[in-house]
Amino acid sequence: MYVLRSEDFSYYALPFGTNGDIPAPGKFDNDGKADHAVFRPSTGTWYIRKSRNGIAVQQGFGLAGDIPVANDFDGDGVTDIAIYRPSNGQWWINRSTGGVVALTFGAAGDLPVPGAYTGLGFANVAFWRPSTGEWFVLRYLNSGSYYSIPFGLPTDIPAPGDFDGDNKYDTAVFRPSEGLWYIQRSAGPLVVHQFGLSGDRPVQSSYIP
């Protein structure tokens, strides 16, 4: 793994993971620093190199073909181990506060895009449906209450994030054919920005197949 420091643009590298692992970094020990982590689909094992508590190993949480979607789903400031199963739209979340929860939200072909869309201090379970360009956001775990909005084309790549600094995720897509970003900000008008070339991938979606 290579990490570029923001303070002086120097970098460091360290070996962590093997061929076939999927990077899944997050703040797993609540010290304000992102921790190196990988998900190994072949065994369903998570390896987390915590910045202050050594290496943690979580076995048997995921299968080959699952997508790691680690995020803070319970709002306690700690990243939760989680996977999305694209074959049937299942989410499996191992919460640091509250234990494991499993739910179905999505269908085959949908892409997971979890994030803090509602601004309530936790990540929402969410997916993007390429066939229709619709975003579906679950307001609370196991609540059944969700909303959907159309934003994007089938050839776009979803790339959500908090682009206006209001602590809410904004729907956004990268259009590879044009190298354009389309960002629907929650606290402002639509932004269209040229940045990238055909074949590029937005960093937020690097590990979405």
Side-chain angles (χ1 to χ4, degrees):
M1 290 188 171
Y2 292 83
V3 179
L4 184 68
R5 296 182 178 94
S6 57
E7 61 268 25
D8 58 7
F9 295 104
S10 64
Y11 73 91
Y12 66 90
L14 76 161
F16 193 72
T18 64
N19 186 35
D21 291 347
I22 303 175
K27 297 178 181 179
F28 292 96
D29 53 12
N30 198 24
D31 65 351
K33 298 179 181 179
D35 305 306
H36 306 93
V38 296
F39 170 64
R40 188 163 295 166
S42 60
T43 61
T45 303
W46 292 71
Y47 296 89
I48 303 169
R49 186 180 183 273
K50 296 184 178 181
S51 52
R52 63 179 181 182
N53 291 319
I55 295 176
V57 179
Q58 172 72 59
Q59 295 180 324
F61 201 82
L63 302 172
D66 291 345
I67 299 172
V69 287
N71 219 312
D72 180 11
F73 291 97
D74 50 20
D76 64 353
V78 177
T79 298
D80 304 308
I81 289 173
I83 59 94
Y84 173 74
R85 190 158 292 159
S87 61
N88 56 18
Q90 284 188 339
W91 297 71
W92 291 79
I93 302 169
N94 190 1
R95 296 173 295 174
S96 52
T97 303
V100 176
V101 61
L103 58 102
T104 300
F105 191 65
D110 294 338
L111 300 178
V113 286
Y117 295 93
T118 54
L120 297 176
F122 57 82
N124 302 97
V125 167
F127 67 84
W128 185 68
R129 183 160 289 164
S131 60
T132 61
E134 287 183 284
W135 297 69
F136 294 81
V137 179
L138 191 66
R139 291 185 172 91
Y140 300 97
L141 287 179
N142 288 332
S143 69
S145 175
Y146 71 92
Y147 66 89
S148 65
I149 53 174
F151 192 72
L153 300 177
T155 54
D156 292 342
I157 302 173
D162 180 11
F163 293 96
D164 50 21
D166 65 350
N167 295 318
K168 293 182 180 180
Y169 257 43
D170 307 303
T171 54
V173 296
F174 174 65
R175 191 159 294 166
S177 61
E178 303 170 350
L180 290 176
W181 292 70
Y182 293 84
I183 304 168
Q184 184 60 67
R185 297 179 294 172
S186 53
L190 173 70
V191 170
V192 181
H193 190 72
Q194 178 82 47
F195 191 71
L197 302 173
S198 178
D200 291 345
R201 292 188 67 87
V203 173
Q204 300 98 312
S205 302
S206 294
Y207 311 116
I208 294 179

